[in-house]
Amino acid sequence: MNSLYAARRRRNIITKALSLVATLFGLGWLVLILGTLLYEGFSGLSLRVFTEMTPPPGAAGGLLNPIIGSLILTVLAVLIGTPIGILAGTYMAEYGRHEKLTSVVRFINDILLSAPSIVVGLFIYEVMVYPMGHFSGISGAVALSVIVIPVVVRTTEDMLMLVPDTLREAGASIGLPRSLMIMRIAYRAARAGMITGVLLAIARISGETAPLLFTTLNNQFWSTNLNAPMASLPVVIFQFALSPYKDWQELAWTGALIITMTVLALSITARALSASRKQS
Amino acid sequence: MVDMALPSGSIRSEAASRSRALERLRLSDQTFYYLTRAAAMFVLVLLGGVIISLIIGAWPAFSQFGFGFLVSERWNPVTENFGALSPIYGTLVTSLIAMLIAVPVGLMIAMFLTEMCPMWLRRPIGTAIELLAGIPSIIYGIWGLFIFAPFLQDTLQPFLIGLFGNVPLLSAMFAGPPYGIGVLTAGLILAIMVLPFITSISRDVFEAVPPVLKEAAYGVGCTTWEVVRYVVLPYTRVGVIGGVMLGLGRALGETMAVTFVIGNAHKISASIIAPGTTISATIANEFTEAVGDLYTSSLIALGLILFVITFIVLSIARYMLLRLERRIG
């Protein structure tokens, strides 16, 4: 009896220790990756990075055109994707809550949410780049918006579901049409959560590389022409990191640091937003 | 007459303007309804569009090679002879390595977070693990190429080669020079990437176990491990499988991190430290350089195969998670 007790105790201690080790292991990667990024990227971080174009190999330069390109692509993708996502989420939570259509859309949306992003790139290549005959900035923005939509649909639906029905009934009782009730009351009550969703979507697309590889391609030069290939930070990192040139590799690290910091700042803000909503 | 007509006229115009306003509201209400419905339908159209466009794009390759495309190992752009077997093999093996590591570790972390961790530490640790999930895959790629692969080349790979060099079967698995990059490296990077997904879903489903069940087990003297093993895991099994499948979906479709470290070699070798390729890495590496319709079409066919595989895996994941949700809710 005693030995059984000791054996159970021993097994418990071993698994507890293992799970502690596992946690440290998981956190260790985060520290390691962020540490290397800071170490490798910080030295290259200077004003020049934000004011000069990407250089030819062997020359000094910055990341101005890919940074601007990424900003343009991200803003456009959000402008295209967010309205569609919010409207679809609104239908699912407000009008068709018990409809078959809603559960089908939810299922499909969840699939799109985790579908491989390179497939999205192929899709946009087939429907936009190939018919147009050339790579273009706008096709990259559309590809990114395909990634934005499912994120926004999901958070909008979830957040609107949390709005208490009494609020909706109060709106209806003073004679508000349903659309106005949704826009003036439900959206306002769910605002923090919906903004969180958009922030998460931005965080998601700002590092996306695969869908841009064969839509926007890349551009060595300054270009804001949406109808032409455009530079973007992730693609430039991809190209520079795999190049044999030392200065290009250093710029890739700096770019990687910029992207990671942006993404982390966005997701921490999103988290803080949703946390403050829960407390109030 | 004049002062009689005036008020009645204004009443009439007021009534008219009110009905006009109501009409306008009704119209905008209807418009809004149809707009939202159209947007919801658009999500379905999107998925349909992805599938149809991939099938159309892949058609030339499938009609040229037929079923042989799936089982052929050839990949020769010069003679335009393509087969998908080695990318499919690489995708499956890298994902398998990733899951073998990430599933046990992820479950252990979830157990730590729900049963052992002091309350004030739970949120920060949980957030930190989820931040790992937010780091873009290209960052894992560049980190893997410059830091992780050289590290493996110097330490783990020579160690494995030395350790299993004389063991039959295993020696073939670890045969060849330590390149650093290769199937094993890609699998390990994928493990780090899917770990946060598996952890956060397992934690969420572990937390959904009714406290009464756990308290009852603790009450009769179960140890923490026994509670997790005999109460929490059986109760959440469906959800955990769902989470694992979701992680698997990520691993199968992951592109950039793998592209950096896999080596892009179109061959199937028994050794897991040899360079290989995956579906997504092949597409990312070769698509813009592909000349000729058949080459492009073969790459799109690879994309279609990848999409079908992940679609099945993700559907199983969602179905499992839905089943758990229904039971709890």
Side-chain angles (χ1 to χ4, degrees), chain B residues 60-83:
Chain B
F62 279 130
S63 60
Q64 171 82 21
F65 304 115
F67 182 73
F69 186 72
L70 289 176
V71 292
S72 156
E73 205 192 319
R74 291 158 309 186
W75 190 268
N76 193 336
V78 182
T79 59
E80 297 215 306
N81 206 341
F82 301 102

Side-chain angles (χ1 to χ4, degrees), chain A residues 8 12 15-16 18-20 23 26 36 87-88 91 95 110 123 126 178-179 214 234 238 241 260 263 271, chain B residues 29 33 36-37 49 53 108 112 116 127 130 132 134 138-139 143 146-147 221 223-226 256 300 318:
Chain A
R8 286 175 58 203
N12 191 40
T15 39
K16 273 184 157 180
L18 277 178
S19 74
L20 183 67
T23 310
T36 346
L87 285 174
Y91 182 82
Y95 291 110
D110 281 345
F123 165 57
E126 280 287 295
R178 205 159 176 187
S179 59
F214 18 89
F238 179 56
T260 312
V263 170
R271 243 158 243 288
Chain B
D29 207 38
Y33 171 79
T36 57
R37 201 177 155 86
S53 71
M108 286 305 228
F112 178 81
M116 293 162 56
T127 311
E130 280 165 29
L132 256 181
I138 186 152
I139 308 297
W143 182 80
F146 287 119
I147 311 289
T223 60
T224 311
W225 165 243
E226 285 161 355
M256 298 321 291
I300 294 177
R318 290 298 163 190

Side-chain angles (χ1 to χ4, degrees), chain B residues 131-145:
Chain B
L131 285 184
L132 256 181
I135 297 178
S137 62
I138 186 152
I139 308 297
Y140 287 95
I142 185 173
W143 182 80
L145 177 68

Side-chain angles (χ1 to χ4, degrees), chain B residues 203-263:
Chain B
R203 185 198 55 187
D204 290 350
V205 297
F206 282 7
E207 274 173 354
V209 176
V212 192
L213 286 182
K214 288 195 280 187
E215 282 157 14
Y218 279 120
V220 295
C222 285
T223 60
T224 311
W225 165 243
E226 285 161 355
V227 170
V228 172
R229 173 71 188 78
Y230 298 108
V231 178
V232 175
L233 271 181
Y235 189 86
T236 57
R237 196 182 55 229
V238 202
V240 169
I241 296 174
V244 168
M245 287 298 194
L246 213 56
L248 180 60
R250 290 267 164 181
L252 290 169
E254 180 43 51
T255 309
M256 298 321 291
V258 174
T259 306
F260 273 97
V261 296
I262 189 99

